[in-house]
Amino acid sequence: MAGSGLFDWRGSWTLSLLLAYLCYLLLGAAIFQLLEKQAEAQSRNQFQMEKLRFLENYTCLDQYALERFVQVIMEAWEKGVNPTGNSTNPSNWDFSNSFFFAGMVVTTIGYGNLSPSTEAGQIFCIFYALFGIPLNVVFLNHLGTGLRSHLATMDTWGHQPRHNQVVQTLGLALFLTVGTFLLLILPPMVFSHVEGWSYGEGFYFAFITLSTIGFGDYVVGTDPDKHYISVYRSLAAVWIILGLAWLALVLPLGPMILHQLMYLWPLNKDPNHRPSPHSTPTKSTIATPSPDKP
């Protein structure tokens, strides 16, 4: 019967988690609809007005010709060709950009603004991802495991001398501070300066990228009016890999920090919660002689 009770408990917990998950999705959908639907309608109306104005100014074109031209532009954009500028724009498939694309494949970010268009490239991308994604996962998990073994002494933090506690706490704080600055605070500044974005847009790009969401609305090194250094996107790919590795190192710290907070929780003051080895045994723990023995 104990197993049945355990099954019922797990089933109720799974159902509760499922309901919470669905409610979270529904809440997000409602908020996104509230925030974005009106702006989308305004953009659509503005685009239609611009098309009508264009046809009025250029009477030699008809509606069909304009629609066909818009379709060509959209197809070019889907293949990674920026329709602005001219044909002298840098190639999307030079080595630096190809290295950036390879990083986006194995990290499963996939911005969606660039993809292989040849059949051979698509087939190679499938096999490259089949082997590259597990390799990336193993690499990041290995780094996380290394940190957990390095910080294994955190489990006995409460039983260590005061000096060791202070040193470990300062080291952990320094690690989190430096990593946050180098991988989350400084890169948006660089991207904002190079790309002409606001800092908020740069931070948004950094978060969406390192969380592997990768909408593709902001991508570095794609403005045809800017002259980037040849290794700019390669450096961005290195930053992404280092950022994901840092996150793999940081995420295991969550349970450790929660454990320390629980240890320091003010309500945890029950003297029987952590019995001292020199404490006097309670009445229930004192052995009493058996009545049938002398």
Side-chain angles (χ1 to χ4, degrees):
M1 295 299 104
S4 177
L6 181 62
F7 177 79
D8 294 339
W9 178 83
R10 288 182 178 178
S12 60
W13 170 248
T14 302
L15 180 59
S16 300
L17 188 60
L18 175 62
L19 291 176
Y21 183 72
L22 292 177
C23 290
Y24 191 77
L25 293 179
L26 293 173
L27 176 64
I31 294 178
F32 282 127
Q33 181 183 22
L34 179 65
L35 296 176
E36 300 295 334
K37 187 174 182 179
Q38 184 176 0
E40 180 199 29
Q42 293 176 353
S43 298
R44 183 182 293 109
N45 294 335
Q46 182 179 0
F47 176 69
Q48 295 297 333
M49 292 297 297
E50 289 295 332
K51 285 202 304 182
L52 293 176
R53 189 177 295 112
F54 185 83
L55 290 174
E56 291 175 356
N57 293 333
Y58 299 92
T59 55
C60 59
L61 292 176
D62 56 9
Q63 181 75 18
Y64 175 79
L66 180 60
E67 295 292 344
R68 177 58 184 167
F69 182 66
V70 171
Q71 184 178 358
V72 171
I73 294 177
M74 293 180 62
E75 291 176 355
W77 179 261
E78 291 174 355
K79 293 181 179 179
V81 178
N82 196 319
T84 60
N86 51 46
S87 60
T88 61
N89 292 337
S91 171
N92 288 319
W93 295 104
D94 57 15
F95 185 79
S96 177
N97 289 331
S98 299
F99 181 82
F100 182 81
F101 176 78
M104 299 309 98
V105 170
V106 299
T107 56
T108 68
I109 294 176
Y111 288 116
N113 67 314
L114 183 64
S115 59
S117 59
T118 64
E119 184 177 357
Q122 293 171 351
I123 294 176
F124 174 74
C125 185
I126 293 174
F127 288 97
Y128 186 77
L130 283 176
F131 291 96
I133 293 174
L135 177 63
N136 180 71
V137 172
V138 170
F139 170 69
L140 297 180
N141 287 340
H142 178 73
L143 291 180
T145 303
L147 181 70
R148 284 193 293 270
S149 61
H150 180 69
L151 297 178
T153 54
M154 291 291 292
D155 294 335
T156 59
W157 181 84
H159 303 284
Q160 295 182 8
R162 184 71 176 178
H163 174 73
N164 292 348
Q165 294 180 9
V166 173
V167 170
Q168 287 188 354
T169 302
L170 291 178
L172 179 60
L174 180 63
F175 171 78
L176 294 176
T177 302
V178 173
T180 301
F181 176 77
L182 293 180
L183 296 172
L184 289 179
I185 305 299
L186 182 60
M189 296 181 182
V190 177
F191 297 141
S192 301
H193 175 72
V194 175
E195 302 290 342
W197 301 336
S198 66
Y199 181 79
E201 291 173 325
F203 190 84
Y204 167 80
F205 163 77
F207 176 80
I208 293 300
T209 295
L210 294 184
S211 60
T212 69
I213 297 175
F215 288 124
D217 48 352
Y218 289 87
V219 183
V220 296
T222 58
D223 191 343
D225 297 328
K226 296 184 180 296
H227 298 282
Y228 304 99
I229 60 176
S230 58
V231 295
Y232 174 62
R233 299 193 83 186
S234 295
L235 293 176
V238 172
W239 162 73
I240 291 172
I241 295 174
L242 292 177
L244 292 176
W246 181 76
L247 289 178
L249 297 177
V250 169
L251 291 179
L253 295 178
M256 295 182 184
I257 295 175
L258 290 176
H259 176 74
Q260 305 309 330
L261 292 176
M262 293 175 61
Y263 174 77
L264 297 175
W265 190 252
L267 297 179
N268 191 12
K269 294 182 179 180
D270 185 1
N272 295 325
H273 183 73
R274 290 181 179 272
S276 172
H278 304 288
S279 60
T280 303
T282 60
K283 184 176 181 179
S284 59
T285 58
I286 300 177
T288 56
S290 176
D292 56 348
K293 290 185 179 181

